[in-house]
Structures are given as structure tokens and as C-alpha cells.
Amino acid sequence: VSQSRYRMLTKKGQWTEAVCSTMRHRDFLVFCFNDVTESKTNNQTLISALHALPYPIVFEEHRQDGSNKNPRLVFINRTFQKRVGYNTKTCPRLLDLLRRIYPDPLYRQKVFARWLRACSRMNSKGEIPTIEARLKSRFGPEMDILLNTINLPNVGVRMVALTDITAQKKTIVTGK
């Protein structure tokens, strides 16, 4: 079985995207075309919605067996890029990002160990307990954050959303 992507013109004169699967059956070839236009449109809508969210989000590759120790970052939303300052070009892998947002190696190791412990306590919905940390943005200031993580095994990713609690922590410290 082989697959190829095509852009095809429908009878109604509209362009559509299709995946063609080719299989050999005895003495002939079988071609099966599947329209993926709607799926692609849905993916684009989802990506637009993730970019519009008011909190920073990162998606990383995730293997259930835990074999990937330095997963590829597959998506970083615009809010993350604006507030923290990094994208998948500057940080293609998790360790690239961790080195930048936690520049102190001892603190980075401590936060990562806490996060791994939290991941080991994942519930049946794939939700991982929230942890608190302090990260350094590319723009200079440190941010107190909550790391909210959910495992999405059907798509092979883990989503991490950051909640900036810097202002709340200052209020608690100063009492104002």
C-alpha cells in the first residue's frame, strides 16, 4: 500500500485535496481516493483557535512508553511567543526550551523532576497535576507560572498550558 496527496478539481469546479491509497490486488491495482479537504480545514480552524487563546500553550510529541527523553515541540501558540519569546524554530526540542526558560541548571533539573513526578500521577482523563515554577522569558522578566499538562494519547502529544500568576504572587507578598 502506498499513499500520495493530490489536489483535484471536482465536478462542481471546486478544488479539493485527496489522499490516494494504491494497493495491488492479484493482477490489478486498486485506487482509493479520500477527500481530506474538510479535515485540513478543521485542523486550520483548530490551529487558529489555539493561537487566539489568551494563555501560552506548547504541544510536544509524547510516546506512551516514555522512550522520547527530548521530544520535538510540534506547536507553540502566538501567546507563548509574545509572552515568553520562543517558537519551534528557536526551540525545536523540549530541552532547547527548558535551557532557555530555566537557565540555572540546578533549578531546571528541580522543575523537570517535579514535572516528571506530576506526570507519573496522571489521571484516567490524561490530566496531570499542576505544578508551580518560575521561568525567565526571552524579554527579561521572570514569570511565576502554573504548568497545566494534559496527555493526548490519540494524537501522540502532550499539551502544556501556562498560567501567569506573577501579579497574584506580588499581591500576596505585598498585601496590595
Side-chain angles (χ1 to χ4, degrees):
V1 176
S2 67
Q3 287 191 336
S4 303
R5 286 179 107 45
Y6 294 95
R7 194 158 183 245
M8 302 170 64
L9 191 59
T10 67
K11 287 181 184 179
K12 295 180 181 178
Q14 297 175 324
W15 287 100
T16 186
E17 291 197 36
V19 172
C20 176
S21 300
T22 309
M23 297 170 274
R24 180 170 292 283
H25 182 71
R26 296 188 185 134
D27 294 333
F28 55 92
L29 292 175
V30 176
F31 295 94
C32 179
F33 287 89
N34 293 312
D35 187 346
V36 294
T37 306
E38 185 176 336
S39 173
K40 185 175 179 183
T41 301
N42 290 343
N43 287 345
Q44 290 169 338
T45 302
L46 176 60
I47 288 171
S48 295
L50 290 169
H51 278 309
L53 289 173
Y55 40 87
I57 293 181
V58 175
F59 282 89
E60 66 174 28
E61 286 180 326
H62 177 66
R63 295 190 188 130
Q64 291 299 102
D65 64 5
S67 63
N68 193 354
K69 302 298 181 199
N70 188 18
R72 185 174 61 92
L73 300 179
V74 294
F75 178 81
I76 295 178
N77 77 344
R78 285 188 193 108
T79 306
F80 188 99
Q81 294 172 39
K82 288 176 186 172
R83 290 191 186 167
V84 183
Y86 301 106
N87 57 42
T88 55
K89 286 186 176 76
T90 57
C91 299
R93 301 231 168 235
L94 179 62
L95 293 180
D96 300 322
L97 180 62
L98 295 179
R99 286 184 190 107
R100 287 178 169 90
I101 63 175
Y102 307 121
D104 178 341
L106 294 175
Y107 184 70
R108 180 182 333 125
Q109 187 175 20
K110 181 179 165 184
V111 170
F112 193 62
R114 273 196 339 235
W115 187 70
L116 288 175
R117 278 194 304 276
C119 288
S120 71
R121 297 191 317 266
M122 176 178 63
N123 69 20
S124 61
K125 295 178 185 174
E127 300 165 335
I128 295 167
T130 299
I131 68 164
E132 188 175 323
R134 174 171 281 178
L135 68 78
K136 179 152 179 39
S137 88
R138 191 180 110 219
F139 309 115
E142 289 188 340
M143 299 166 57
D144 292 303
I145 58 162
L146 295 176
L147 285 164
N148 304 288
T149 307
I150 188 163
N151 189 29
L152 304 168
N154 294 349
V155 285
V157 298
R158 189 177 276 163
M159 181 182 85
V160 181
L162 310 181
T163 304
D164 186 351
I165 58 168
T166 307
Q168 293 91 322
K169 290 202 63 150
K170 284 182 183 174
T171 301
I172 292 169
V173 171
T174 62
K176 295 182 183 178

